[in-house]
Amino acid sequence: MGRHFNKIGLVALTSFAVLSACGNDEKGNGNTGQEQQILQLAAESEMDTMDTTISTTNFTPMNNVYEGLVTYDLEGNLVPGNAANMPEVSEDGVTYTFTLRDDANWSNGTPVTADDFVFAWKRMVNPENGSGYAYLFSGIVKNAEAILNGEAEVDTLGVEALDDKTLKVTLEKPVPYFLDVLTIPCYFPQNEAFVTEKGENYGLNAENAIYNGPFTLADWDSASGDSWKYMKNDEYWDKDTVQLDEINTQVVKEVGTGLNLYESGELDSIDLSGDFVAQYTENPDFKTNDKAWIYYIEVNHDVPELANENIRKALTYAIDRQGFTDNVLLNGSHSIFGHVPNGLAKNPETGADFREDAGDVVQYDVNIAQTAWQAGLEELGVDTVTLELTTSDSEDSKKLAEFLQSELQNNLPGLTIDIRQMPDNSRLDNIKSGNYQIATSYWLADFADPINFVERFDTDINRGNYSFEDIDALIDQSNQQYDDALARWNTLIEIEKVALGEHYVDVPIYQTAEAYLEKPFVKDIYRPVFGSRSFKYASIDDTQTN
């Protein structure tokens, strides 16, 4: 279920808003010690729509003005959202029954009902709407795939309102990560009466949408889209938790502009990128936050040299990943020796991180790399190998490709790496069509479960043209362990171990991080490894302001 960004656009990059200033306001603001807490946000891009059926980018705004059945708390735990409690699940893991909160209301005062979810979900999978995130229903909610393929009617979707506050969901098969999927905006509710009334104008400005989350929108129109306000939602069931009264937002696209505003005291937080990161690493306001986004080398097993396991092992062990993250990136990104990112998922019993339990599946060891390399050359009956490394034409991609070229050529005698750069969409098209030998790739999950990463080793999903029965069997096994969370967890760890540590199917490189500056008085912005920022718990600490 994971995605490459090009599948639906640069979702993560455009959805992560950047916190900015507490501006001077006649109503007062948080960092002057006055009553109201008012922040200003600087977003990286305009908002085109607040219709969850259409949008594939505006995740941060949507997660702050809408809410699904479940959500995440400040510690990243799944908790009930508009549902009153966690659902009742049938013994076979296929049927989920949710009871909605009695005090779950829309911002116009009307109750949030089970029909609001039924309406929204059916609207998502209706092929006529062409929803970019409809694929996240396919294979999960019963009949969604058949509906999307035009083989079944929309009304056969496995979702039903038993009464105003009771929602029954029937899945295609047991899906252990179903609750995580529900935190994505495509699974949020929509009020049918309001959507119908607004027609084609629904979601195109602040007045043509209603909200059931911590905030509402104001002063926004998609025609301009470069500024808006978040206002505390007095109809929100958990409004007492929300401390910010107002968040003023404008689009700030240039990091340099944002830094000038930050340094002059007009921004409270600003994301850093490129060369700006190294300039501010010693600043006391400098912070980093892991993201569930990995870079790795994709390997085409159809290439004769790469069909050799020892050659693939040599490539895996020959790269000093930490040298790249510490000396080139300098933004908090760090080397990774598996596929599942740090901070994505926790052991269901102990709470340990996946990477802690799985450990380093591979490592950087030139001796192991060279031993495997010589063995591979002997098995191939050659003294030299030339491989083409396909990469995108961005500056960061060029830096990574040149680093990999240097490491591999220096540590594996007889290896030549030729770099082929192209636009990122072309890079992806070449990988999908098998027109590559090795290629830099990146991956971000759609939801916070390790299966997003390890299922990519499956014969029917991988882009490396390989097939290993033991990997496929383990993935099938994990899907059957829907009722035994710990057993499934251990199977997911085993999948990664077999794929990367025994078959060396591809080469993990590093996990990304966001680097930013933030004033000490800004508190409790939820910055998850995966997903959108939430301002529900955010506040301004007056004791830390000037």
Side-chain angles (χ1 to χ4, degrees):
M1 298 303 301
R3 67 174 183 276
H4 190 287
F5 278 26
N6 293 85
K7 186 173 184 180
I8 53 173
L10 294 176
V11 175
L13 295 181
T14 55
S15 65
F16 292 148
V18 181
L19 261 191
S20 61
C22 298
N24 294 324
D25 192 296
E26 292 180 358
K27 291 181 285 187
N29 60 49
N31 63 6
T32 59
Q34 298 182 31
E35 289 185 3
Q36 285 195 315
Q37 294 216 350
I38 301 176
L39 291 175
Q40 291 184 358
L41 293 175
E44 293 178 336
S45 61
E46 296 83 1
M47 291 196 298
D48 55 350
T49 179
M50 287 304 291
D51 185 346
T52 55
T53 305
I54 298 173
S55 179
T56 59
T57 60
N58 304 320
F59 277 21
T60 287
M62 287 182 174
N63 272 285
N64 282 283
V65 300
Y66 301 135
E67 187 173 80
L69 294 163
V70 296
T71 186
Y72 293 110
D73 65 15
L74 190 56
E75 284 71 47
N77 301 306
L78 271 176
V79 294
N82 269 216
N85 40 51
M86 301 307 273
E88 296 180 11
V89 185
S90 61
E91 188 174 342
D92 62 3
V94 170
T95 303
Y96 286 67
T97 304
F98 296 87
T99 300
L100 301 188
R101 296 181 184 276
D102 290 333
D103 55 353
N105 293 323
W106 292 100
S107 53
N108 65 356
T110 60
V112 176
T113 68
D115 281 318
D116 294 333
F117 288 91
V118 174
F119 171 72
W121 293 10
K122 288 184 177 180
R123 197 163 175 254
M124 278 295 308
V125 302
N126 189 331
E128 295 180 359
N129 294 327
S131 300
Y133 262 82
Y135 76 92
L136 271 180
F137 285 76
S138 183
I140 295 180
V141 180
K142 186 176 180 180
N143 291 333
E145 185 171 359
I147 294 168
L148 289 166
N149 292 334
E151 300 167 356
E153 298 297 321
V154 174
D155 285 342
T156 65
L157 186 69
V159 60
E160 177 184 1
L162 301 183
D163 56 45
D164 283 350
K165 292 292 184 176
T166 309
L167 182 73
K168 178 183 176 182
V169 182
T170 305
L171 306 184
E172 198 73 60
K173 60 183 182 301
V175 179
Y177 46 84
F178 178 58
L179 293 181
D180 293 285
V181 174
L182 294 178
T183 65
I184 303 172
C186 63
Y187 276 92
F188 290 176
Q190 292 184 344
N191 184 284
E192 182 174 5
F194 190 89
V195 173
T196 302
E197 175 191 346
K198 299 301 180 181
E200 292 182 355
N201 293 321
Y202 172 67
L204 294 182
N205 59 42
E207 292 71 31
N208 285 339
I210 54 174
Y211 315 96
N212 71 322
F215 299 93
T216 65
L217 280 181
D219 298 342
W220 169 72
D221 191 304
S222 61
S224 55
D226 59 356
S227 65
W228 60 89
K229 292 182 179 181
Y230 297 97
M231 308 294 293
K232 182 175 179 178
N233 183 2
D234 290 331
E235 292 289 339
Y236 181 53
W237 66 270
D238 197 20
K239 63 181 179 182
D240 291 343
T241 297
V242 182
Q243 299 185 55
L244 295 178
D245 297 291
E246 184 177 323
I247 309 169
N248 299 319
T249 307
Q250 62 178 334
V251 174
V252 178
K253 296 184 177 180
E254 299 296 329
V255 177
T257 301
L259 280 168
N260 289 336
L261 293 171
Y262 184 88
E263 291 176 341
S264 66
E266 298 176 65
L267 290 182
D268 297 332
S269 180
I270 182 68
D271 278 2
L272 301 174
S273 61
D275 294 336
F276 290 107
V277 176
Q279 296 177 32
Y280 286 87
T281 53
E282 301 303 318
N283 189 298
D285 294 348
F286 180 83
K287 299 178 181 179
T288 63
N289 186 62
D290 280 352
K291 306 308 297 181
W293 184 2
I294 66 164
Y295 274 81
Y296 63 103
I297 300 175
E298 216 147 353
V299 177
N300 187 352
H301 292 226
D302 275 351
V303 176
E305 294 88 346
L306 297 172
N308 183 282
E309 186 175 286
N310 274 310
I311 297 296
R312 300 196 304 271
K313 181 178 181 179
L315 297 176
T316 299
Y317 279 82
I319 301 167
D320 180 10
R321 300 149 174 84
Q322 189 169 342
F324 181 70
T325 58
D326 289 355
N327 301 318
V328 181
L329 290 179
L330 299 169
N331 64 354
S333 297
H334 51 83
S335 56
I336 191 168
F337 297 96
H339 256 243
V340 179
N342 289 276
L344 181 77
K346 300 175 183 178
N347 183 304
E349 290 193 359
T350 68
D353 187 80
F354 186 95
R355 286 264 55 87
E356 180 182 348
D357 278 0
D360 291 343
V361 180
V362 296
Q363 58 184 298
Y364 168 54
D365 190 313
V366 176
N367 289 330
I368 292 177
Q370 291 182 347
T371 299
W373 180 250
Q374 290 304 318
L377 293 179
E378 291 177 8
E379 290 163 357
L380 292 170
V382 299
D383 295 322
T384 62
V385 170
T386 298
L387 294 174
E388 184 178 70
L389 173 61
T390 299
T391 188
S392 64
D393 56 3
S394 70
E395 188 62 31
D396 285 346
S397 294
K398 181 180 179 181
K399 289 178 182 178
L400 176 58
E402 290 175 347
F403 176 83
L404 294 174
Q405 180 188 52
S406 174
E407 286 289 290
L408 294 172
Q409 290 184 164
N410 288 340
N411 292 330
L412 301 177
L415 175 61
T416 298
I417 298 292
D418 294 330
I419 296 175
R420 179 174 66 150
Q421 283 192 286
M422 60 185 65
D424 200 50
N425 285 336
S426 298
R427 178 198 61 84
L428 180 58
D429 289 342
N430 275 269
I431 292 174
K432 287 181 176 179
S433 65
N435 182 25
Y436 77 103
Q437 294 184 331
I438 57 177
T440 57
S441 285
Y442 47 88
W443 194 259
L444 173 71
D446 281 311
F447 49 89
D449 190 280
I451 193 66
N452 274 210
F453 289 86
V454 301
E455 73 174 353
R456 295 198 52 71
F457 306 134
D458 186 273
T459 296
D460 295 331
I461 297 177
N462 78 73
R463 301 183 300 210
N465 300 308
Y466 57 81
S467 178
F468 295 100
E469 292 182 1
D470 50 356
I471 297 176
D472 292 349
L474 285 167
I475 293 173
D476 289 341
Q477 178 176 301
S478 73
N479 291 331
Q480 298 302 316
Q481 293 171 319
Y482 60 88
D483 58 350
D484 191 337
L486 185 60
R488 177 176 179 269
W489 178 263
N490 290 328
T491 300
L492 296 174
I493 290 174
E494 186 68 13
I495 294 169
E496 190 184 62
K497 177 183 176 182
V498 171
L500 298 178
E502 296 181 15
H503 296 303
Y504 310 101
V505 297
D506 61 39
V507 185
I509 304 296
Y510 71 92
Q511 177 177 352
T512 65
E514 60 177 354
Y516 60 101
L517 298 177
E518 187 168 88
K519 301 296 185 181
F521 52 75
V522 178
K523 302 297 181 184
D524 292 336
I525 297 170
Y526 176 54
R527 296 175 178 266
V529 170
F530 165 79
S532 304
R533 296 174 189 170
S534 170
F535 312 114
K536 173 178 176 177
Y537 304 98
S539 65
I540 300 168
D541 183 356
D542 291 328
T543 65
Q544 298 292 318
T545 58
N546 294 326

